[in-house]
Amino acid sequence: TQLLEQSPQFLSIQEGENLTVYCNSSSVFSSLQWYRQEPGEGPVLLVTVVTGGEVKKLKRLTFQFGDARKDSSLHITAAQPGDTGLYLCAGSLLIKAAGNKLTFGGGTRVLVKP
Amino acid sequence: DVKVTQSSRYLVKRTGEKVFLECVQDMDHENMFWYRQDPGLGLRLIYFSYDVKMKEKGDIPEGYSVSREKKERFSLILESASTNQTSMYLCASRQGDPYEQYFGPGTRLTVT
């Protein structure tokens, strides 16, 4: 069982539709990051959320950090084919043993069809 | 902008060869990481380093070693490459929590 569970694992939608990706855990994170990765490339950082309840917007992307800092969501409005990719969430566990390592979710593969 | 570069995008090696993967970051980050990414298994941490000459094992260190002689450079070494080490290798760097972690473009290694 992964510490950070992402759902769904795969999402296929038409251009113009909305989508939401979830990242859940029973553990508390001091911060959480979202990445998008395209085939054959490294993950690219989209956003970092730090405060419980925080909402950040990046154009058509809205990121939310849960009040208890155990979960996060990514919502894309009016998805475009350029949003296609693997979305990864990653968090810093609020325990000393974690050091500066990130814990990664399994990823959500998003396909936006024109 | 933070830049993390990796020495090769694609590499093909034979079983038993010694393989060096190099990573350089330009933002004076304390922490550097090596991951491998495989379909269905996600990102798995091989080794990380929080300072020059310091290293810590990650989740799957077997068959790998690392070297960090300078702050900006972190090398991953496969002492004797095997076919099950065929994978996408990703390097990353980070100043610390809650700061962002940045990845390099990846090296697709094939061991035949």
Side-chain angles (χ1 to χ4, degrees):
Chain A
T1 305
Q2 286 200 308
L3 219 50
L4 262 177
E5 294 283 345
Q6 278 189 247
S7 61
Q9 290 185 325
F10 180 70
L11 203 50
S12 177
I13 60 170
Q14 291 296 135
E15 183 176 0
E17 292 182 342
N18 301 332
L19 69 98
T20 303
V21 177
Y22 299 94
C23 182
N24 294 301
S25 178
S26 56
S27 301
V28 178
F29 293 91
S30 59
S31 66
L32 199 135
Q33 303 181 21
W34 284 94
Y35 296 85
R36 179 169 63 222
Q37 184 179 21
E38 298 187 15
E41 301 291 332
V44 174
L45 181 68
L46 297 173
V47 79
T48 300
V49 285
V50 178
T51 308
E54 184 176 5
V55 176
K56 279 193 174 177
K57 290 188 185 238
L58 189 68
K59 295 183 182 176
R60 293 175 294 99
L61 279 61
T62 301
F63 304 85
Q64 185 158 10
F65 201 13
D67 291 340
R69 290 184 293 164
K70 292 183 179 181
D71 54 85
S72 181
S73 63
L74 155 61
H75 182 79
I76 302 179
T77 304
Q80 298 176 1
D83 296 323
T84 293
L86 177 68
Y87 288 83
L88 294 163
C89 65
S92 290
L93 280 168
L94 202 61
I95 54 172
K96 191 175 180 182
N100 287 310
K101 294 183 293 180
L102 287 178
T103 297
F104 281 84
T108 295
R109 197 162 294 281
V110 171
L111 174 62
V112 182
K113 292 184 269 191
Chain B
D1 276 355
V2 175
K3 199 160 189 180
V4 180
T5 56
Q6 294 183 228
S7 49
S8 305
R9 293 299 306 273
Y10 301 94
L11 214 48
V12 180
K13 295 290 181 181
R14 293 188 182 275
T15 302
E17 278 192 87
K18 191 168 186 175
V19 182
F20 292 88
L21 302 182
E22 294 212 317
C23 175
V24 178
Q25 52 97 1
D26 67 358
M27 282 302 290
D28 203 36
H29 284 173
E30 302 287 340
N31 304 280
M32 295 187 75
F33 307 85
W34 275 106
Y35 298 86
R36 63 177 284 179
Q37 187 176 33
D38 302 285
L41 296 176
L43 273 164
R44 292 182 290 169
L45 182 64
I46 304 170
Y47 265 98
F48 65 102
S49 168
Y50 52 88
D51 202 349
V52 175
K53 296 192 187 293
M54 306 303 287
K55 61 185 179 185
E56 292 275 349
K57 292 180 181 179
D59 301 318
I60 50 161
E62 296 79 20
Y64 303 95
S65 62
V66 291
S67 172
R68 193 163 179 205
E69 296 297 318
K70 292 185 178 182
K71 192 175 186 180
E72 67 271 18
R73 191 177 296 267
F74 192 33
S75 301
L76 180 70
I77 303 149
L78 287 66
E79 294 290 342
S80 178
S82 63
T83 55
N84 64 12
Q85 291 178 310
T86 291
S87 186
M88 173 70 137
Y89 289 88
L90 291 161
C91 175
S93 75
R94 186 182 193 203
Q95 183 58 21
D97 188 43
Y99 300 105
E100 292 86 355
Q101 177 163 308
Y102 295 92
F103 283 87
T107 296
R108 171 72 63 186
L109 172 67
T110 301
V111 182
T112 61

